[in-house]
């Protein structure tokens, strides 16, 4: 089990996962967000190869259209 902080909220997951699989579990389309992991902005190309570890802190910012 890993414990993550996602947008300031403590969350627990039953297995190791990548950023891409976390976004999928949260129902968040990866092309519509920016992800900060432990104070570092990730490139979208790295979502599928970045493995999350217990205690990681993520901020997920959703892009909203309008005008």
């Amino acid at each position: 089990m890993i414990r993550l902080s996602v947008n300031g909220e403590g969350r627990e997951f039953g297995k190791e996962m990548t950023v891409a699989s976390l976004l999928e579990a949260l129902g968040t389309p990866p092309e519509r967000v920016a992800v900060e992991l432990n104070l570092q902005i990730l490139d979208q190309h790295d979502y599928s190869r970045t493995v999350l570890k217990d205690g990681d802190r993520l901020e997920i910012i959703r892009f909203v259209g309008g005008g």
Side-chain angles (χ1 to χ4, degrees):
M1 176 165 317
I2 63 170
R3 286 178 220 97
L4 305 172
S5 173
V6 180
N7 293 348
E9 178 184 327
R11 307 277 304 255
E12 290 187 356
F13 296 91
K15 61 180 180 171
E16 185 177 89
M17 58 181 23
T18 63
V19 171
S21 59
L22 171 66
L23 293 174
E24 184 178 331
L26 297 174
T28 303
E31 63 278 354
R32 308 228 28 153
V33 298
V35 177
E36 179 187 277
L37 172 61
N38 300 325
L39 303 177
Q40 296 256 327
I41 301 286
L42 294 178
D43 188 293
Q44 283 187 352
H45 299 329
D46 294 329
Y47 290 178
S48 62
R49 59 181 164 223
T50 301
V51 178
L52 298 169
K53 299 178 213 72
D54 192 48
D56 279 345
R57 299 177 60 145
L58 297 105
E59 292 293 326
I60 301 171
I61 297 105
R62 291 174 176 81
F63 300 123
V64 179

